[in-house]
Amino acid sequence: ELRLLQECNVAPIRGVAFGARSDVFATVSSDGSVRIVDLSDYSVLAQARGHCAATAVTFDGEETVLTGWEDGALKALSAVTGDSKAQIAKCHRGAVTCIAVGAEFIFTGGDDGAMRVWSRRSLEFVAQYAEHSKPISGLLVDREQPHLVHSCSLDRAVVTYDLKTTRRCNYKMHRDGAFTGLCQRVDSEQELLTSTSDGFIMSWDCDVQLPVMALDCGRRLKFQCIAITPGGRFV
């Protein structure tokens, strides 16, 4: 009798996400595979496969994984079985590059430079913000003020949207490299942290136009993404 013990991705990984649990994570790959992995024994708890490259992933609670796809689709999959729960066939023109989840809404960013807002309950379209001229590379809901949503893009801009006023409320630029990732500190003033294609990690305060910190890691080092640990100790 043959029993599968472990398996892994065989194509480039396009996204990794943890949910509420520290021992379970999800991956998506360019071959269209989605896997939910248990870190205790590295077994695959659930998996799915699409007909094109999967490009983004995040958890929505413990039982649902939201995935973005190269054809512009957003799919909600069961984290338990891998089965499809719901989908938006044309979430963006081009690939879905980022997904963030708030209390009431799901936010997506795409190759088209748009940030779109969807009802978390029904997946119905709510609003669109078209502030970027190139693909969005980072997207998050503010930790302290959940009516604020932040995005960064390959157009070298960081934008903050106010859902209460339905308008852009902050805009910052980097002169050289493109922004490749975005996260937010859990301590201090809870500044935004961005990574760039020219080797910088930058810290941004909402009240200051220029970065309050810029760490030059060398222009030969091209960052692809940035993340911060839950306790805020490591980046």
Side-chain angles (χ1 to χ4, degrees):
E1 180 183 354
L2 298 178
R3 182 167 61 93
L4 180 65
L5 298 178
Q6 296 178 352
E7 61 180 298
C8 65
N9 299 85
V10 295
I13 295 175
R14 303 288 292 273
V16 178
F18 280 84
R21 294 175 56 180
S22 60
D23 60 341
V24 174
F25 68 95
T27 67
V28 293
S29 300
S30 59
D31 63 356
S33 63
V34 181
R35 288 181 172 87
I36 315 299
V37 181
D38 187 339
L39 275 176
S40 62
D41 58 4
Y42 296 99
S43 61
V44 175
L45 301 177
Q47 59 182 305
R49 183 176 291 273
H51 65 276
C52 64
T55 52
V57 61
T58 194
F59 275 86
D60 183 3
E62 290 190 16
E63 296 186 353
T64 303
V65 173
L66 298 175
T67 57
W69 297 81
E70 193 173 52
D71 63 358
L74 177 74
K75 299 179 182 180
L77 306 175
S78 169
V80 179
T81 65
D83 294 336
S84 175
K85 301 176 74 172
Q87 70 171 338
I88 303 170
K90 287 296 180 182
C91 183
H92 285 273
R93 296 188 304 272
V96 177
T97 56
C98 303
I99 309 169
V101 179
E104 298 181 41
F105 304 110
I106 294 169
F107 307 92
T108 60
D111 267 345
D112 53 8
M115 193 278 283
R116 291 183 175 146
V117 186
W118 312 86
S119 168
R120 187 177 177 187
R121 177 177 297 180
S122 64
L123 292 186
E124 292 182 352
F125 175 77
V126 176
Q128 172 177 293
Y129 299 83
E131 299 289 343
H132 292 291
S133 60
K134 291 185 179 181
I136 293 177
S137 53
L139 188 63
L140 63 85
V141 180
D142 193 88
R143 293 180 182 273
E144 284 296 304
Q145 302 181 77
H147 65 281
L148 299 180
V149 181
H150 311 283
S151 67
C152 68
S153 168
L154 300 184
D155 64 3
R156 306 195 301 275
V158 176
V159 178
T160 299
Y161 315 87
D162 189 331
L163 300 182
K164 291 183 177 180
T165 63
T166 65
R167 294 183 177 181
R168 182 185 81 187
C169 64
N170 208 311
Y171 187 88
K172 304 179 187 301
M173 288 286 293
H174 178 47
R175 290 187 306 172
D176 299 318
F179 290 116
T180 57
L182 177 68
C183 64
Q184 186 176 17
R185 292 184 62 172
V186 300
D187 56 0
S188 186
E189 298 295 322
Q190 299 196 336
E191 298 94 339
L192 298 177
L193 299 178
T194 56
S195 57
T196 72
S197 61
D198 59 346
F200 278 89
I201 295 175
M202 296 180 171
S203 177
W204 305 86
D205 188 292
C206 63
D207 299 321
V208 182
Q209 187 63 29
L210 297 175
V212 296
M213 184 276 291
L215 177 62
D216 187 354
C217 299
R219 293 183 180 270
R220 293 184 179 180
L221 184 62
K222 179 180 179 180
F223 291 115
Q224 300 287 347
C225 58
I226 187 171
I228 195 165
T229 55
R233 186 178 179 185
F234 300 106
V235 175

